[in-house]
Amino acid sequence: MTTSIRDLRKWKSEGKKFTMLTAYDYTTARWLDRASIPVLLVGDSLGMTMLGYPDTLSVTMDDMIRHAGAVVRGAPNALVIGDLPFMAYHASAEDAIRNAGRFLQEARVQAVKMEGGGRVIEYTRQLAAMGIPVMAHLGLTPTFVNQFGGYRVQGRSDEAAEQILNDAKALEEAGAFAVVLEGIPSTLGERVTKALAIPTIGIGAGPHCDAQVLVIQDVLGLTPDHVAKFVRQYAKLGDAIEAAARQFDQDVRDGAFPTPEHEYSAR
Ligand code: KIV
């Protein structure tokens, strides 16, 4: 049965931890769905993982819709969430409603995610009132990279920690069904988790969050360069891809592929 936003809140009340992974394409989504990953996020991190940009800022709604539709088709059992990218909701509530609506209508995701507090709290209220479930995202929110002056851990000072805690409470009150906490001290992750009835989903936010999310490229060992401190690699698929490609190339050059079992007969 497809995971719903009600399941997430129930799991929190039962103390049952769960996972979310990012996914950006049909094939990977199928494998993750087979692995019973309950929540898939089509993150704007696809700017880096799929499109080769240095950050998330160039990602458009059209990029997101194309990839989100593929994930939805590959994962009939998961709750699939579409990440509203930079400038999809920054200018107005109208933009937020139109673009969130596009996600549900065109890609058929079940929910959207928005980064930040401030005006996003009001947008969350409006979307939730229209039947569009919202996942919030606080802490080291990647679209704020220029404002933060780099990818830096957030919420280290008392004041900044208080702000994140208050934003999380306000987003819950506005109707968010979950909140991603990224790049904050574990102690703050624990405080926010204890203060909310909705689940917290941590990435670099410590072990006390109700759920954990990672970027699938990091989990599979496909990230070519630096891997963040909070990541655990569960496979080395990058090495496996390189070895397979080298072997194919070698076999063709040596005449070792194709062999008779790969050939079609005339009749
Ligand atoms: O875009 C993304 O992948 C994300 C996750 C890291 C939470 O926002």
Side-chain angles (χ1 to χ4, degrees):
M1 216 173 67
T2 309
T3 305
S4 78
I5 62 167
R6 288 167 59 96
D7 293 321
L8 272 53
R9 190 186 269 254
K10 183 163 160 279
W11 293 338
K12 167 144 188 165
S13 70
E14 294 167 352
K16 181 178 155 191
K17 296 220 178 202
F18 62 93
T19 51
M20 176 164 93
L21 282 168
T22 68
Y24 317 100
D25 67 278
Y26 172 79
T27 304
T28 311
R30 280 197 65 165
W31 287 108
L32 299 181
D33 208 47
R34 278 178 60 148
S36 301
I37 299 299
V39 191
L40 297 181
L41 171 68
V42 187
D44 61 357
S45 49
L46 70 78
M48 290 90 94
T49 59
M50 294 285 113
L51 304 177
Y53 294 131
D55 53 42
T56 61
L57 300 179
S58 301
V59 176
T60 65
M61 267 313 290
D62 286 344
D63 294 331
M64 295 303 302
I65 298 272
R66 172 63 62 91
H67 285 269
V71 171
V72 169
R73 289 188 289 277
N77 301 302
L79 172 70
V80 181
I81 297 161
D83 203 3
L84 285 164
F86 186 56
M87 293 314 294
Y89 54 96
H90 297 58
S92 66
E94 283 76 14
D95 278 355
I97 294 164
R98 191 174 312 109
N99 286 318
R102 277 194 70 192
F103 252 142
L104 269 69
Q105 279 195 314
E106 297 177 37
R108 302 208 52 95
V109 301
Q110 294 104 307
V112 300
K113 179 170 83 56
M114 287 188 288
E115 291 182 11
R119 275 194 293 170
V120 171
I121 297 164
E122 184 48 34
Y123 299 167
T124 299
R125 192 184 310 284
Q126 294 193 29
L127 290 181
M130 284 169 198
I132 302 178
V134 176
M135 174 176 277
H137 187 166
L138 295 171
L140 202 185
T141 42
T143 56
F144 288 70
V145 59
N146 292 313
Q147 177 87 354
F148 294 153
Y151 294 99
R152 296 166 189 286
V153 173
Q154 299 295 306
R156 278 193 157 139
S157 70
D158 289 350
E159 204 183 355
E162 223 47 48
Q163 182 69 54
I164 289 172
L165 181 61
N166 290 336
D167 281 347
K169 288 179 183 166
L171 284 157
E172 172 174 49
E173 189 276 323
F177 71 90
V179 54
V180 170
L181 298 175
E182 179 164 357
I184 59 170
S186 305
T187 45
L188 179 56
E190 183 175 17
R191 275 181 77 197
V192 176
T193 301
K194 284 188 171 151
L196 302 186
I198 57 172
T200 57
I201 304 180
I203 175 163
H208 306 289
C209 296
D210 300 299
Q212 296 289 328
V213 54
L214 286 174
V215 168
I216 189 66
Q217 268 68 13
D218 289 342
V219 171
L220 298 181
L222 288 167
T223 306
D225 309 314
H226 167 75
V227 176
K229 178 180 162 75
F230 55 77
V231 168
R232 180 178 289 169
Q233 290 188 329
Y234 287 85
K236 297 266 180 212
L237 293 199
D239 293 346
I241 290 172
E242 184 180 337
R246 281 185 191 281
Q247 191 63 55
F248 170 63
D249 182 66
Q250 187 71 50
D251 285 356
V252 170
R253 285 189 288 116
D254 292 349
F257 177 85
T259 49
E261 79 238 55
H262 305 114
E263 293 177 36
Y264 293 112
S265 61
R267 49 176 77 225

